Amino acid sequence: METPPWRARLRTEDELLEQLNDQAEQARRRRATALKEGADDLGSVYALAKELGLSWTAVAHAIKKYTTA
């Protein structure tokens, strides 16, 4: 089996990276929505962060960044 030229391989890998970036962005948005729901359920971002063992600033940042706009 012959290996495709490097330009074709590079183009294929760039397309794959773009798809993976899109999927990661979608996952970050879904995660932020779940975090927001968790904060609503537990009463605060701080309570959610404590429950998850995360810093409240990281949780608040994810919610703000990925659930707006």
Side-chain angles (χ1 to χ4, degrees):
M1 182 172 171
E2 192 173 315
T3 303
W6 67 267
R7 284 186 176 94
R9 293 192 325 262
L10 185 60
R11 188 174 17 256
T12 299
E13 295 305 325
D14 285 344
E15 289 169 2
L16 178 58
L17 286 170
E18 187 174 332
Q19 291 172 9
L20 291 171
N21 284 331
D22 290 343
Q23 289 177 5
E25 180 69 17
Q26 291 170 14
R28 284 188 287 270
R29 291 189 185 282
R30 290 190 305 268
R31 180 179 183 271
T33 299
L35 288 170
K36 186 174 185 327
E37 291 171 9
D40 293 343
D41 185 48
L42 295 176
S44 70
V45 170
Y46 178 79
L48 174 63
K50 186 175 180 182
E51 172 86 13
L52 297 174
L54 300 171
S55 75
W56 73 268
T57 54
V59 173
H61 177 74
I63 291 171
K64 182 177 180 181
K65 184 172 181 178
Y66 294 106
T67 61
T68 56

